[in-house]
Amino acid sequence: MTGRTDTRAETRTDVIVVGAGPTGLLLAGDLAAAGLKVTLVERRAPEIANLTRAFGVHARTLEQLDARGLADELVEKGSPVTEIRFFGQFSLDVSGLRSRFPFMLITPQYEVERLLQRRARDAGAELRYGTLLRDLGQDAEGVTAELAPADGGPATSLRARWLVGADGVRSTVRDLLGLPFPGHAVIRSMVLADVRLDAEPKGPIAVNGADGAFAFVAPFGDGWHRVMGWARDRQAPDSEQVGLDEVREIVRRSLGTDYGMHDARWMSRFHSDERQVPAYRTGRVFLAGDAAHVHSPAGGQGMNTGIQDAANLSWKLAAVLRGEAPDPEALLDSYHAERHPVGRMVLRSSGGIVRLAMAHTRLQRAVRAAAGGVMEAVTPVRRKAAGMVTGIGVRYPAPRGSHPLTGRRAPDLSLREGRLYELLRRGAPVLVTPQGGTPSIPPPLAGAATDATWTDPTRRTSLLIRPDAYVAWAAG
């Protein structure tokens, strides 16, 4: 701490969450629902919408929202899409996913935030909008944050056991920790717009035009469409205003038509970096979402990865704060061990897609065509790609000698007590046992578990499902 704050004015909370995007809101809601005192601080005023480039919710994120009772309401407002065609050569078809949500839901980020904000408030989280984090310090017992009103006024200090930075690519938390954010810009001068169209596309399309441009058009389902585009010969700084004519031209070059684009409600220009912080945990401070990793919007994985970061971290913090973790340090360290590789994978996959889109030499286009041919012809490759992009295929490391199911995502199992993801809404692990079975469960997590039973009497496997719907333990 810099010493500017009078520590006698301290108030206390269990966890401070910095940043009220989807990552921070889900985390704050989970912690408050677990009976903990959580304070979320956000520099934006509450009435300012967080208009960003996020537009799609993948299957694994919808499953996490389902485990919180929010997915069905969000799906009603969005536009489900089962196939995205890339470059006119190959497609990503997610209709075969083993999930309640075998699609990508096209919906603006603010709709996701609206549901998560409501849940956090209802659970009792304290949401402080219009508040800046000025400084932070930590010791063996906790973290002290110096906070100040965004419109001016005296700073106060807030003491917590833990702090989570979910404050985006320009993270104040990361800067105050002095952490590096290595990486580079992968693409510059991308344009975004939310527009209305006279002619409806058949579905989301991503192509690379012959004259060095690509575009993406996605329907929100309410008459508005999200357009993203790039042209090699139009490289302007982020500060240069975007005009609708520029967006129209890029889309026409890429897709052959601009679909009668008109009435833009929002337009923006941005560049896309590939960066990842080396450590997701520094003492009593964690980083999640874009504060920890940022990458190309190709594949629509940014917001989704952040939400899944939060789902991984929230139950671990809750277990430690409630005294339910036999080895608190090991459990909290597992957040980095599990999520850092996922962030690295997303950087590589999204970066690969955008580099294919930018291909302009004969060799680069040949590589793209070859990659598309493999994707179309080899079913396991196509399935793996769909699993990685949607998050369904993510698997966490498991101890040597453990059951093959350990670390895997748990599908929405049909149990005597109801669907698995409905049972997970209690925020506790779920212990699934055979009918009449009483397995010996190892101590971690089992004491707080919700008991459930297979509906199928022939199933003899026992599973301990973590609150984030991954298998913690299996036998049989």
Side-chain angles (χ1 to χ4, degrees), residues 107-128:
T107 190
Q109 178 173 321
Y110 57 78
E111 290 290 356
V112 180
E113 290 187 6
R114 179 183 61 82
L115 294 179
L116 291 173
Q117 183 191 74
R118 185 187 70 197
R119 173 176 178 262
R121 287 190 189 279
D122 290 348
E126 179 187 7
L127 308 185
R128 297 189 188 181

Side-chain angles (χ1 to χ4, degrees), residues 124-304:
E126 179 187 7
L127 308 185
R128 297 189 188 181
Y129 284 87
T131 301
L132 302 176
L133 173 68
R134 290 282 181 82
D135 204 355
L136 67 85
Q138 59 177 313
D139 53 43
E141 300 300 322
V143 182
T144 303
E146 180 183 300
L147 306 175
D151 58 359
T156 59
S157 64
L158 180 63
R159 181 76 171 166
R161 297 283 301 280
W162 306 93
L163 183 145
V164 181
D167 50 341
V169 63
R170 298 178 180 85
S171 171
T172 300
V173 174
R174 190 184 63 239
D175 289 346
L176 290 173
L177 291 173
L179 293 177
F181 202 35
H184 59 276
V186 63
I187 188 170
R188 299 184 183 279
S189 198
M190 294 195 72
V191 297
L192 290 178
D194 286 354
V195 300
R196 292 193 181 276
L197 304 177
D198 288 335
E200 188 76 16
K202 293 181 180 179
I205 308 168
V207 301
N208 185 69
D211 53 356
F214 68 82
F216 183 93
V217 179
F220 283 132
D222 59 357
W224 291 96
H225 289 72
R226 167 62 54 85
V227 177
M228 180 174 67
W230 173 86
R232 187 177 305 281
D233 58 2
R234 187 69 177 93
Q235 297 295 291
D238 292 355
S239 57
E240 184 170 322
Q241 188 173 358
V242 179
L244 186 56
D245 286 343
E246 179 183 357
V247 181
R248 286 193 187 106
E249 175 61 20
I250 292 174
V251 174
R252 279 197 297 265
R253 289 169 59 179
S254 304
L255 308 180
T257 176
D258 64 11
Y259 301 105
M261 190 183 305
H262 61 93
D263 290 340
R265 64 179 176 183
W266 175 66
M267 292 184 290
S268 178
R269 190 189 309 277
F270 70 99
H271 71 278
S272 181
D273 287 353
E274 289 180 351
R275 299 183 184 277
Q276 186 177 30
V277 73
Y280 283 15
R281 179 187 180 188
T282 302
R284 289 183 168 269
V285 181
F286 301 85
L287 294 174
D290 285 355
H293 48 78
V294 64
H295 45 81
S296 155
Q301 299 171 81
M303 176 180 68
N304 292 273

Side-chain angles (χ1 to χ4, degrees), residues 274 295 343-353 355:
E274 289 180 351
H295 45 81
R344 186 170 61 248
M345 180 270 294
V346 171
L347 259 70
R348 291 173 177 171
S349 62
S350 62
I353 294 172
R355 285 175 175 84

Side-chain angles (χ1 to χ4, degrees), residues 68-107:
R68 292 156 178 82
L70 302 175
D72 290 339
E73 182 177 349
L74 187 66
V75 170
E76 288 178 2
K77 293 181 175 292
S79 179
V81 173
T82 60
E83 183 180 24
I84 302 174
R85 191 149 193 89
F86 292 97
F87 322 126
Q89 295 174 324
F90 61 92
S91 62
L92 181 69
D93 186 347
V94 298
S95 61
L97 292 175
R98 188 187 174 196
S99 172
R100 281 191 75 217
F101 311 100
F103 50 80
M104 181 171 78
L105 185 72
I106 306 299
T107 190

